[in-house]
Amino acid sequence: MSSSAMADTIVLYPSHGIGHMISTVELGKLFLKHRPSFSITIFITTGATSPYVNHLIATTSSITFHHLPAVELPPTSTSLSPEELFFEIPRLNNPYVHQALQDISRKSNIVAFFIDFFCNASYQVSSKLGIPTYYFFTTGASTLCHFLHIPTLHETIPKNIKDLHDYIQIPGIPPVYSQDMPKGMFDRESKAYKLILETAIQTGKSSGILVNSFAALESRAVKALSDGLCIPKEQTPPIYCVGPLIASNDGGSQSDEHECLSWLNLQPSKSVVFLCFGSLGLFTAEQYYVSIMKLCLVEELVNVSFLALTGFLKRTKDKGLVVKSWAPQVDVLSHDSVGGFVTHCGWNSVLEAICAGVPMLAWPLYAEQRMNRLFIVEEIKVALGLTESANGFVTAAEFEKRIRELMDSKIGKAVRDQVMAMRNSAKAAIQDGGSSHLAMEKLIESLTKG
Ligand code: UDP
C-alpha cells in the first residue's frame, strides 16, 4: 500500500503513572475529535494497568491500546528511586517500541509519535525510524519553563540544588525557592538528575511540545516559552497548549452510584471540603492523627483500619465520609455540595478543580508539586497555601485556620472568584476558535502538510 493510501496514525506513549495515562487518553480523544479519520494507538507499559486504567481502556473503544510485553527489571533496580524507575521501564521497552512502531508503519502512516518525558529513551528509536517525535508534557506551562531551563541552570548554578538555600530566577515564572524543586533535581551526581537533564536537552530539540494547559491560565509562562526565553542559546520547538485535558465522565469514571456521591447529595451547597492526594499520596500516621483527622470530611487513600481503631470514623459519622480507595474525583469536584479541595497539587487534580470551579488549599507532597503550589497560589491565585514546618509537617491549628480561610473569608472569596474566572476561560479555550482549539488545529496542519 502506498503511504498516501494508508490511514494517518498518531502513536502516543504515556508513562505508567495514572495521571499521565488519563491525560494521554484524553489527548487521543481530542485528536479524533479534530480529525475522525485519524487512527490512534496508545502504548501501554508494565505497571500502567490498575482497575481504573483497565476500566479506561475497556470503555475507550475509539483508541487502540497496544500492550508492550512485560519487561524484566534487573536485580539492581531495587536501588532505583521512583523517578529513576519511571525512566528505566521505558528504556527497557525500547526493543518492543521499535518492533511496534515498525509493525504499525507497515499498515499505516505514522504522522507523529508523542512521548511522555519519562519515555525519553524511546526518542532515539523513533528518530532512527524517521518518525517525527513530539513530547506530551502532562503538567503545565510554568513547569515547562523550569524544565526547558534545566540545561541553563546546570551551567549557571555550580553547586547542588540541595545545598543552595536561595531563590532561582527562571523566565516566565515567579522565583522558585531551591528546596521547592523536584527532589530528583537536588544532586548533580544522582542518576535521576542526569536523566532529567538529558531529557530536558532532548525535549528542547524535539519537533514540538504539547502542554496540558491553556493560554489564559498561564499567560506569563506561555509568553516566555513562545518568546524562546527558557532555552536562551537555541531555538525553542513549537509549543502547543491544548488543554485542559481532564478525565471525562464518558469512559474513565467509575462513578455509577458511588456511595460518596449519594452522601454528597445530602449535604448543603458548597459546604463540603474534599481531601484527595492523588494516586500516590501518603502521610505519616502522626500527620494523619494530628491534622487531618481533626477536620477531615471526605478523605482518600486512608488506612481505614487505623482510622477505625482511633474512633475517627465513629466520631465523624454524621459530618464526614471516608472513601476507602479510589474516589470518582472529577464527579466529586463537580458536585454542588463541594466548596473546597485540599490537594497534593498534582497537575490533573489542579486542572480538574479549575474546570469544576472549586478553590484549592495546596498541600504538595512529591514530584513537581511544590512548584505547582507556587504557581497556583502566587501566580494563578486559585489556591491558598499552608505553612509547613521544616520537615513538611502541618499542624492541626494551621490546617483548621486555612480551611476556614478558604471556606469562609474575604481571601477565600477572592480565590473562589478567580477559580470561577479560570473555569470560564478553560471553557472558552476549548471551544471552536478558542486558544487550545486553534493550537490543536495548528499542530494537526503541521503534521499533515507533508
Ligand atoms: N484520582 C481519582 N480518584 C482518586 C485519586 C485520584 O479519580 O481517588 C485521579 C484524579 O482525578 C487525577 C489523577 O487521579 O485525574 C491523579 O493525577 P494527579 O496529576 O492529580 O496526581 P498524581 O497521582 O499524578 O500525583
Side-chain angles (χ1 to χ4, degrees):
M1 219 185 329
S2 77
S3 72
S4 59
M6 294 198 285
D8 283 340
T9 296
I10 302 280
V11 183
L12 307 168
Y13 187 13
S15 169
H16 61 271
I18 288 178
H20 297 243
M21 284 287 301
I22 291 173
S23 48
T24 304
V25 170
E26 294 306 316
L27 176 62
K29 290 186 197 165
L30 187 65
F31 270 115
L32 287 174
K33 196 168 159 214
H34 280 253
R35 292 293 183 279
S37 61
F38 276 176
S39 140
I40 309 290
T41 295
I42 298 184
F43 289 168
I44 305 287
T45 53
T46 325
T49 42
S50 64
Y52 182 81
V53 170
N54 287 339
H55 179 78
L56 192 64
I57 293 172
T59 51
T60 315
S61 56
S62 52
I63 291 175
T64 304
F65 291 91
H66 179 94
H67 291 262
L68 298 168
V71 291
E72 202 167 313
L73 289 167
T76 49
S77 65
T78 49
S79 64
L80 297 179
S81 68
E83 283 108 333
E84 290 162 3
L85 201 59
F86 268 75
F87 281 109
E88 181 65 3
I89 292 173
R91 194 186 66 76
L92 294 169
N93 263 313
N94 264 358
Y96 304 129
V97 168
H98 186 264
Q99 185 65 51
L101 287 174
Q102 274 189 324
D103 291 348
I104 297 168
S105 297
R106 271 186 220 109
K107 291 178 243 146
S108 67
N109 173 37
I110 303 181
V111 289
F113 184 44
F114 290 86
I115 61 176
D116 192 286
F117 74 90
F118 281 122
C119 302
N120 185 48
S122 65
Y123 194 97
Q124 48 174 287
V125 174
S126 53
S127 48
K128 261 196 207 133
L129 292 171
I131 299 170
T133 303
Y134 293 70
Y135 284 76
F136 174 41
F137 205 67
T138 54
T139 181
S142 305
T143 311
L144 183 60
C145 288
H146 165 254
F147 188 66
L148 292 180
H149 208 57
I150 286 173
T152 311
L153 296 177
H154 180 73
E155 280 174 22
T156 52
I157 301 176
K159 54 164 133 174
N160 279 330
I161 298 284
K162 71 166 187 272
D163 302 322
L164 181 85
H165 294 270
D166 202 356
Y167 283 86
I168 299 173
Q169 307 292 333
I170 296 170
I173 57 177
V176 179
Y177 187 57
S178 51
Q179 305 305 304
D180 285 344
M181 289 207 169
K183 291 267 182 294
M185 290 293 304
F186 274 26
D187 181 355
R188 295 166 82 93
E189 291 311 313
S190 72
K191 192 167 179 190
Y193 182 95
K194 289 175 186 160
L195 288 164
I196 293 170
L197 176 63
E198 211 174 280
T199 306
I201 295 171
Q202 191 59 67
T203 308
K205 296 180 195 302
S206 65
S207 300
I209 308 167
L210 268 71
V211 189
N212 191 6
S213 190
F214 54 100
L217 184 69
E218 299 180 273
S219 50
R220 181 149 75 111
V222 171
K223 181 158 184 344
L225 289 166
S226 58
D227 289 348
L229 303 183
C230 303
I231 313 181
K233 290 193 187 150
E234 287 177 55
Q235 178 95 25
T236 303
I239 311 278
Y240 304 93
C241 287
V242 298
L245 292 162
I246 62 164
S248 50
N249 299 346
D250 62 346
S253 170
Q254 291 173 286
S255 59
D256 295 347
E257 292 171 20
H258 195 288
E259 57 155 350
C260 73
L261 297 174
S262 324
W263 181 84
L264 285 171
N265 288 340
L266 304 174
Q267 311 310 316
S269 176
K270 306 280 176 263
S271 68
V272 175
V273 179
F274 174 53
L275 291 88
C276 189
F277 299 96
S279 52
L280 303 169
L282 289 174
F283 286 107
T284 60
E286 192 193 8
Q287 182 72 82
Y288 268 126
Y289 188 75
V290 173
S291 326
I292 298 180
M293 287 168 54
K294 285 219 161 171
L295 276 167
C296 163
L297 297 179
V298 178
E299 169 55 2
E300 185 359 32
L301 293 177
V302 173
N303 179 340
V304 174
S305 53
F306 169 71
L307 295 184
L309 274 177
T310 58
F312 174 74
L313 293 176
K314 210 167 152 199
R315 262 194 299 121
T316 57
K317 191 164 61 65
D318 298 329
K319 58 177 178 179
L321 180 79
V322 173
V323 177
K324 290 174 198 154
S325 64
W326 197 254
Q329 181 166 298
V330 170
D331 294 331
V332 171
L333 285 171
S334 44
H335 196 286
D336 175 63
S337 65
V338 172
F341 179 29
V342 181
T343 174
H344 71 314
C345 306
W347 192 246
N348 290 290
S349 295
V350 167
L351 289 179
E352 288 161 9
I354 289 171
C355 291
V358 178
M360 287 164 270
L361 188 58
W363 188 337
L365 298 178
Y366 50 91
E368 87 296 3
Q369 292 157 10
R370 298 176 78 84
M371 294 202 329
N372 286 345
R373 169 178 59 183
L374 171 72
F375 307 143
I376 63 177
V377 174
E378 305 289 332
E379 187 79 1
I380 313 175
K381 301 186 191 321
V382 288
L384 296 179
L386 277 168
T387 307
E388 306 152 297
S389 67
N391 67 0
F393 192 82
V394 176
T395 63
E398 166 68 7
F399 192 48
E400 178 175 352
K401 182 175 154 206
R402 297 299 173 195
I403 293 270
R404 289 196 188 286
E405 211 167 68
L406 185 74
M407 300 297 281
D408 189 18
S409 80
K410 266 192 183 163
I411 302 174
K413 172 149 187 339
V415 172
R416 187 176 303 277
D417 290 348
Q418 173 68 354
V419 84
M420 286 310 288
M422 284 300 147
R423 178 193 194 207
N424 293 338
S425 302
K427 278 189 188 156
I430 54 175
Q431 271 166 14
D432 283 7
S435 64
S436 296
H437 185 269
L438 292 176
M440 197 65 192
E441 276 301 312
K442 194 168 156 200
L443 166 71
I444 294 174
E445 265 167 40
S446 77
L447 296 180
T448 49
K449 72 171 187 262

